[in-house]
């Protein structure tokens, strides 16, 4: 990714934070096996600061959209507290196989990581897991699928994917949790950050990625009004 390419993905910038539009399919940081990752390009996002920004939270490799960065250690501490206290407004758009049981609702199912002997893992619902709360709203429907906005109040690994599957409507492109094969249809659509006490929340909205456009349009999304 060139400097121009990653800089073109900046959705919001001020002295404390950057919000960028993360591309689907790119990990946010290097894993045990190495490989390309978003962090390796952060030096192009200094914009005059002495050091590159750092991650305030994470998105899965195959999830696209709003990713929040802190521009220096003090900013990262402030952002980290907002995320930890559940004060960040998060909106994810997903396309699900099937439809939730109600047009809107709340899912409160604790989650825990389950590993197997071959070294793989998945997230499962469990009474002894970590608390996980997600609100949802159906925005549109098509035959066999639905366009759903998810608002997670906690930030557990794979939270939206597992909570969607728990309602019987796993995400498109999420065979790990019962969905059909293909590219994952999960997009971090918008964030709201109450960073400044006497000002409105900082907000950013990420455009719909190309691989989700056809399914969203079938469900009623109008790309001309995005």
């Amino acid at each position: 990714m060139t400097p121009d390419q990653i800089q073109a993905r900046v959705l919001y910038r001020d002295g404390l934070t950057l919000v960028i539009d993360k591309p689907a399919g790119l990990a946010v940081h290097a894993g045990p096996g190495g490989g390309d990752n978003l962090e390796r390009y952060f030096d192009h996002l200094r914009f005059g600061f002495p050091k590159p920004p750092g991650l305030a939270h994470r998105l899965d490799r195959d999830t696209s959209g709003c990713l929040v960065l802190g521009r220096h250690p003090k900013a990262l501490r402030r952002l980290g507290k907002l995320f930890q206290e559940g004060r960040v407004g998060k909106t994810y758009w997903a396309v699900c196989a099937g439809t939730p049981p109600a047009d809107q609702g709340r899912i409160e199912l604790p989650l825990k990581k389950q590993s197997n002997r071959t070294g793989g893992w998945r997230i499962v619902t469990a009474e002894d897991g970590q608390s996980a709360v997600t609100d949802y709203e159906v925005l549109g429907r098509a035959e066999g699928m639905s366009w759903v906005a998810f608002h997670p109040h906690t930030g557990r690994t794979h939270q939206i994917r597992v909570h969607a599957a728990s309602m019987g409507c796993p995400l498109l492109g999420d065979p790990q949790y019962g969905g059909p094969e293909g590219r994952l249809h999960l997009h971090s659509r918008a964030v709201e950050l109450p960073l400044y006490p006497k000002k409105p929340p900082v907000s950013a909205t990420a455009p719909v990625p190309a691989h989700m456009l056809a399914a969203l349009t079938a469900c009623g999304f109008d790309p001309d009004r995005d």
Side-chain angles (χ1 to χ4, degrees):
M1 191 181 300
T2 67
D4 286 347
Q5 286 173 328
I6 192 167
Q7 288 171 8
R9 288 188 166 271
V10 174
L11 302 169
Y12 176 86
R13 181 178 110 201
D14 67 16
L16 289 180
T17 187
L18 296 168
V19 182
I20 65 172
D21 179 13
K22 176 196 170 295
L26 184 64
V28 294
H29 52 71
D36 199 13
N37 64 87
L38 200 58
E39 269 189 326
R40 69 188 299 181
Y41 305 105
F42 283 0
D43 194 55
H44 303 315
L45 298 176
R46 289 190 295 114
F47 296 111
F49 277 38
K51 295 183 178 180
L55 292 162
H57 66 130
R58 307 286 191 272
L59 291 178
D60 291 348
R61 174 192 296 270
D62 294 321
T63 302
S64 59
C66 293
L67 180 69
V68 180
L69 312 179
R71 300 195 67 187
H72 48 72
K74 183 178 179 180
L76 284 166
R77 287 193 295 272
R78 188 184 298 188
L79 288 163
K81 186 177 181 182
L82 292 178
F83 277 100
Q84 185 176 16
E85 294 175 350
R87 295 173 59 200
V88 177
K90 295 174 283 187
T91 299
Y92 287 77
W93 280 5
V95 182
C96 299
T99 303
D103 286 346
Q104 59 185 25
R106 170 167 288 192
I107 308 159
E108 297 184 76
L109 288 173
L111 303 175
K112 68 183 291 186
K113 188 174 184 178
Q114 185 179 78
S115 301
N116 59 41
R117 295 179 181 178
T118 62
W121 62 271
R122 70 198 309 266
I123 303 298
V124 297
T125 61
E127 290 185 1
D128 61 342
Q130 292 180 299
S131 171
V133 181
T134 309
D135 290 334
Y136 72 87
E137 178 186 4
V138 178
L139 301 180
R141 294 178 176 82
E143 187 174 353
M145 60 185 179
S146 55
W147 164 25
V148 183
F150 289 97
H151 307 282
H153 296 281
T154 48
R156 310 304 180 200
T157 300
H158 294 183
Q159 177 172 323
I160 291 172
R161 296 165 61 183
V162 177
H163 276 180
S166 76
M167 295 191 295
C169 52
L171 273 54
L172 298 190
D174 194 13
Q176 183 175 8
Y177 296 109
E181 296 280 354
R183 297 188 68 181
L184 183 67
H185 280 51
L186 181 60
H187 178 62
S188 177
R189 173 64 170 176
V191 293
E192 286 195 349
L193 305 163
L195 269 173
Y196 307 104
K198 297 182 180 181
K199 296 181 180 180
V202 167
S203 62
T205 301
V208 170
H211 74 278
M212 289 179 60
L213 194 56
L216 284 172
T217 302
C219 290
F221 171 69
D222 183 355
D224 292 330
R225 298 180 64 183
D226 187 28

